[in-house]
Structure formats: C-alpha cells, structure tokens
C-alpha cells in the first residue's frame, strides 16, 4: 500500500532521531533527578539515595528568595516597557508608510540578533560614559532591549493580518483614536500581546549574559545559580531552583504558543 | 438648499502623483450619484476625501454647506460601506451594526432594537448573534450596509460595494440598493468601474480619468452625448471615429462617436465597408467593419442575415446617432 510505504521510516533514521532527542532532553532530566539526591557535595551517578529535604532547605534560604524576587520584578517591569514600546512601534511600522520604515524595523529587531555579550558590553560602557550607577533599573533597561523585540514581532505579525480598513471603519462610525484602540485594535491584537508579553517575561527571567554586564551587586536568579555552582555547599538547592526556573519559563512559552497558533485567518477580510 | 457635497478645485497629490486634480463637483441632496472610472482614475480618492480619510492638498470641500477640510472622519455625518466590508471580526453581527450607536453612548436596549431594525431593513433579521466569519459575501455586504445606515448618515459612501459578489447577487443588490435609496432619501455616492452598474443605478454619473472629471451628467446624457473620446469609449464601448473618417462620412472634421447598436446594414445608399470579423453574442451578433482603414463595430439584432467575413457591405445610421465631440476631444 502506498500510504503505508510513505509512513514507514527506515529504522536507522528512527534510532538517530531518538538519540538526538535523548541528547537534548536527558541532561534536563538529570537536573531534576539531582534535586532529590542525598549527596550534596558532588553529582555522583546513580544518586546514593533520594530525599525531599532540599525543597525545605531552599524554601528557608533568604538569598534564594531575594534573587527570585529581583528576577520577578525585573521581568515584570521589562515586560511592561516592552509591551508599551513594542506595540507602539509595531503600530507605526505596519499602519503607516514613511521614509526609512524598513531600516527602523531592522534596527528594532537587531538586539535579538546581536550576541548578548555585545549588547551587554555596549550597555555597560554606555552606562559608564553617562555615569549612571548600576542598579535595578540598569538591569531592566538591558532586558527591555530584547523584550521589546519579542513583543514587536508578535504585534507586527498580527497588525499585518488585520485589515487596515477596520481602523478606518471604526473612525467612520464615529470613534476617535482612543475609542478605536480600545474597541477595535486591542481586541484584535490582544492575544498577540499576551503571547509576546509572556515570551518577553520568560526571556528576561532566565537572562544571564546581558545581566552580568548591567547588574551591580544584585543577583537575579540565573546569576545566583551561576555563583552557586562554584560553591560546593548544599548543591541540590541549585537544582531545586533550576526546576522552578524551568517551570516558570516553560509554562508561559507553552501558553504563548497556544495563543498564537490559532487565528491564522486574516481578520476583517470580507471576501 | 446647499449641495450635499461640493468640491471646488479640489486636488489631492501623493508626491508627484496627482490622484485628484482640480476637481469641481456638485452632488444634490437625495441624489444617487456614481463616480465611474478605471482603476487609478481618482474616484476612490474622491470618496475618501468626502469620508475624511484623505485631506485635500488644495481646494475646498463642503458637506451640506459645512466646510469639511480638517474635520476628522469621526466628526462627519457621513458613513462608508467599504470595498472589503471591514466588519469587526471580534464582534457579532448585532454589535457590528450597533457599533456607531455604542460609540455615541446610546443605551444597550435602544441600540439592540435599532440594530435589529437595521438588519431587518437589509433583509437579515435574526442574524444578530452570528459572527461575520459565518456569513456569505452577500450577507456581509448587507451587514456593512446596515452598520452604516443605522447611524442615519446625511451621505452614504459606497466603495465598489458589489465588486466581490457574483453576477446574480450583484443584479439583485443593485435593485435593492436603488429601492433602499429612494425609500430613505439619503444621498448615496457610489464608486464603481463597471459602466453598466453606473448607468443602471445612478441618477447622475461623473466619469473620471487621470484624476479629473471628464463629464458629469445623467446616464442618458453620458451614454448618448459623450463629450470626449475617453467617455465614449469607456461608457458602453462606442465607436470613436477620427476627424478624417467623420469628414468622409458626415462632412464635418471632428471627433465623433457612433454606437454599435445604432448602425444598420442597408442594400443601397449609405457607405461602403468590408466585414473583417463576426462574433455571436447571443441576443445579437457583433460585426467588425473596416471603413477606410478604421474599425467600426456594429451590433446586428438576431434574426438578420449575418454577412460572411471579407464580404462587402453598405451601412447607414439615423441622422441623430452620430455624435460630434469637437476637433480636439
């Protein structure tokens, strides 16, 4: 049968794919496994015993809470900045035509294509030149540079799918700019903004490189983990935190994927 | 009584492109007015100038005696039926229709009632709960019409509203639009590139070309007495005769137009021609004649003998059928 033939894949290819996937994901499972180990100084395999005590230990470590709090605050504020600037920028790029539009579009996307270390170094030297002391806000600024891109990309894709005459129709029916934004634009780009916002949050939450250059004495959660790895004290605590980070970043990305997957049809097209 | 819409020397330039070029236009209240022209002739830009989506580069626009330049679309008592309908995809049909009322702060109960009444007017009662995506093209068109009319505009603008419909539905909507317009007494301004549609629906027509109005008049005037070669050719594909040929046939050295259906074949008298092509159209047969090197189309009613290709024939016309358009049309 023809369809059977098409579906049958050579065994070798199946095995290769399996090995590839295992290589990608087994190390993550190992991280999870060592969160339960009884041995705290080195990672030996198999773990000598399993325990839940590291969850309690982690819960009682103030430095973990401090780092988590900082990360959440940085990610939240970066996301808010990204949502505002990203949406405005996407609206300008997709709804109007002006000289240098493509160039500006490229410049907005550039920070995510640029290596983080370049962004980090350039921001650091810029802060130094401007004599801005490193603080919570310098971290936020650093994160906002790439968070804007994610929101912008999501919003611009949705704006492109939205028929331009929807906005004119709303104005034609008596709505001013603000009313049109509230009643027509926001409902149509809402899910794209939510998805972009969650991706931005996740990106900011696990960012290391730019943060290393723009943070002063403060440590966000990923920085804290990096520092923790070189100190062999209560090592499984890092693994517990790693599990939390995976959950906190994975869930929004999954949700964002589901939100943007639907709605491929062009909204407002009548034909 | 002021004009419903009046343009005085209105121009709209996009860079070096003169989309609308020194247009003068007067539309009477309660009129069904068509703007006819090929794409890129400036008719849609004129519509957008009335709606307020475009501002004139120069000139003066009045809507019912009030200056329109500088007034944003949401402060004009004018509503538009868009070419792609532009229904809000996230709202159901009733909320789409009630949108203008909602923006004006009309209470929920009243706007529901008015929206339903408007839907009834366009023959879609009970469709309020559906989403635009669940409607056919013709139904969306009606919803767009109801959404505009529910606001009781002084002028309703229609941008090629029937372009996306199939022939049968288009003819039905043409009829309904005419009836609706007469019943409501609202000024309709209608943009189309379909000359048949303009001739059958409009009280008056403005024929556009290259950002200018070539001629304004009733369908009868436009059809019978085109002022320029462009109008003669665009409206009803008339035969446009060069001054040389007109002089030979009628003794006047001017451009002229001669309708294919006004020409008949005769056995003696008239003028000589050679048949270069025939095509059967159903209700008639179209002959292409060669007359002193120029092509002339003739419509033969069915039932008459169709001469063969290459045959020599003689043709004539009623004296008033040849319409002179001047030496430089």
């Amino acid at each position: 049968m023809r369809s059977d033939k098409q579906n049958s894949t050579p065994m070798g290819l199946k095995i290769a794919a399996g090995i590839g996937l295992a290589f990608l994901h087994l190390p993550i499972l190992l991280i999870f496994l060592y969160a339960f180990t009884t041995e705290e100084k080195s990672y030996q395999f198999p773990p000598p015993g399993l325990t839940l005590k590291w969850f309690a230990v982690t819960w009682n470590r103030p430095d973990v809470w401090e780092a988590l709090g900082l990360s959440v605050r940085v990610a939240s504020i970066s996301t808010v900045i990204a949502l505002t600037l990203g949406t405005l920028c996407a609206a300008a790029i997709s709804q109007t035509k002006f000289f240098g539009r493509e160039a500006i579009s490229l410049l907005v996307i550039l920070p995510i294509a640029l290596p983080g270390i370049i962004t980090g170094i350039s921001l650091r030297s810029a802060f130094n030149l401007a004599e801005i002391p490193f603080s919570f806000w310098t971290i936020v600024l650093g994160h906002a540079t790439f968070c804007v891109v994610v929101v912008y990309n999501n919003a611009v894709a949705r704006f492109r799918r939205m028929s331009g005459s929807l906005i004119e129709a709303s104005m034609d029916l008596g709505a001013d700019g603000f009313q049109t934004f509230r009643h027509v634009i926001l409902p149509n780009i809402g899910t794209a903004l939510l998805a972009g916002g969650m991706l931005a949050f996740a990106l900011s939450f696990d960012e290391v490189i730019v943060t290393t250059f723009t943070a002063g004495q403060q440590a966000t959660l990923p920085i804290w983990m990096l520092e923790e790895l070189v100190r062999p004290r209560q090592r499984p605590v890092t693994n517990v935190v790693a599990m939390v980070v995976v959950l906190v970043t994975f869930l929004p990305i999954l949700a964002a994927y589901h939100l943007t997957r639907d709605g491929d049809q062009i909204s407002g097209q009548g034909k | 009584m002021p004009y419903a819409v009046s343009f005085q020397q209105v121009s709209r330039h996009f860079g070096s492109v003169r989309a609308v070029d020194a247009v003068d236009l007067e539309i009477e209240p309660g009129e069904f007015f068509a703007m006819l022209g090929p794409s890129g002739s400036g008719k849609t830009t004129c519509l957008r100038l009335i709606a307020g989506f475009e501002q004139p580069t120069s000139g003066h626009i009045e809507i019912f005696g009030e200056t329109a330049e500088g007034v944003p679309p949401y402060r004009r008592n004018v509503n538009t039926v868009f070419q792609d309908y532009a229904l809000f995809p996230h709202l159901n049909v009733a909320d789409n229709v009630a949108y203008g009322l909602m923006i004006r702060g009309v209470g929920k109960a009243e706007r529901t009632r008015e929206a339903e009444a408007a839907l009834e007017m366009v023959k879609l009662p009970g469709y309020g709960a559906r989403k635009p995506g669940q409607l056919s093209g013709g139904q969306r068109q009606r919803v767009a019409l109801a959404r505009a009319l529910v606001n009781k505009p002084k002028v309703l603008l229609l941008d090629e509203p029937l372009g996306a419909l199939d022939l049968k539905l288009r003819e039905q909507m043409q009829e309904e639009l005419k009836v609706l317009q007469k019943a409501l007494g609202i000024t309709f301004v209608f943009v189309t590139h379909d000359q048949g549609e303009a001739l059958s629906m409009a009280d008056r027509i403005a024929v556009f070309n290259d950002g200018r109005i070539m001629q304004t008049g009733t369908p009868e005037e436009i059809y019978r007495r085109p002022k320029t070669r462009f109008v003669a050719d665009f409206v009803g594909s008339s035969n446009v005769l060069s001054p040389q040929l007109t002089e030979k046939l009628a003794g006047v050295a001017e451009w002229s137009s001669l309708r294919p259906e006004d020409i008949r074949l005769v056995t003696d008298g008239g003028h000589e021609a050679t048949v270069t092509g025939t095509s059967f159209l159903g209700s008639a047969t179209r002959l292409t004649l060669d007359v002193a090197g120029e092509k002339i189309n003739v419509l033969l009613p069915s039932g008459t003998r169709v001469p063969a290709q290459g045959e020599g024939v003689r043709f004539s016309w009623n004296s008033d059928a040849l319409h002179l358009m001047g030496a430089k049309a």
Side-chain angles (χ1 to χ4, degrees), chain A residues 163 165 168 170-172 183 270, chain B residues 48 79-80 84 90 99 140:
Chain A
S163 157
S165 55
E168 288 189 345
S170 172
M171 306 271 257
D172 189 69
H183 293 293
Chain B
R48 294 171 60 81
N79 286 113
T80 309
D84 66 354
H90 59 291
Y99 187 85
R140 284 180 204 172

Side-chain angles (χ1 to χ4, degrees), chain B residues 170-180 201:
Chain B
R170 193 153 65 206
E171 285 171 351
Q172 187 190 339
M173 279 308 291
Q174 286 178 5
E175 202 50 48
E176 280 182 35
L177 275 178
K178 259 170 88 170
V179 171
L180 206 57
M201 293 173 78

